[in-house]
Amino acid sequence: MKVRRPSDYNPSLAATLGPSQPSPHLNLAAVGLTPGASGGLEGPDRIFVGGLPYYFTESQVRELLESFGGLKGFDLVKDRETGNSKGYAFCVYQDLSVTDIACAALNGIKMGDKTLTVRRANQGTMLQKPEQENVLLHAQQQIAFQVIFVFLIILEENKMSMQNVL
């Protein structure tokens, strides 16, 4: 169950109606709630995944995201009336070190006629953090070193075979 503020919420009017904090005497456990629980989908490591094709099922989106590691929390946002996907989701990885790698790898990928937007949810439209840029740069450098290394091995093997021919 999710409780949200109405779209016409007025904080100054609400302040006149009573306390802004819940009573400490409320028994949330009686209705199956845990104080502060949100299914593991809060915090700085929460990822926003936008631009999902509407026809993607929850299991298809999970499968895409789980290719980087296990999920601690996942929510495909759906229309309340129809139950259809709204084209975006949120997730948190069990291994938090995967967060920036998944964002860098999935962001900008074409899915049908849509392009994925994948970023930390608290990032909004801000520029990437320097440490996120460093993760991506480091990954690109590692790939470049591997390509150069393989190229040098092939070159060395060809050099040896040329010496054997001569």
Side-chain angles (χ1 to χ4, degrees), residues 72-86:
K72 179 167 96 175
F74 172 78
D75 181 29
L76 177 62
V77 180
K78 297 178 182 177
D79 183 271
R80 282 187 232 163
E81 307 281 318
T82 65
N84 294 335
S85 166
K86 285 190 169 185

Side-chain angles (χ1 to χ4, degrees), residues 5 7 83:
R5 288 184 174 166
S7 58

Side-chain angles (χ1 to χ4, degrees), residues 3 9 12 18 25-27 38 42 63 66 74 78 85-86 110 112 120 137 141 157 162:
V3 178
Y9 176 73
S12 40
H25 304 292
L26 278 177
N27 184 0
S38 60
E42 292 301 322
E63 185 177 344
E66 286 176 336
F74 172 78
K78 297 178 182 177
S85 166
K86 285 190 169 185
K110 288 283 236 187
R120 287 179 180 261
L137 181 62
Q141 288 173 340
E157 287 175 355
M162 289 300 287

Side-chain angles (χ1 to χ4, degrees), residues 100 120 123 127-137:
D100 292 324
R120 287 179 180 261
Q123 185 178 349
L127 296 175
Q128 286 187 332
K129 295 179 184 176
E131 61 267 16
Q132 290 172 318
E133 291 174 359
N134 288 340
V135 167
L136 183 56
L137 181 62

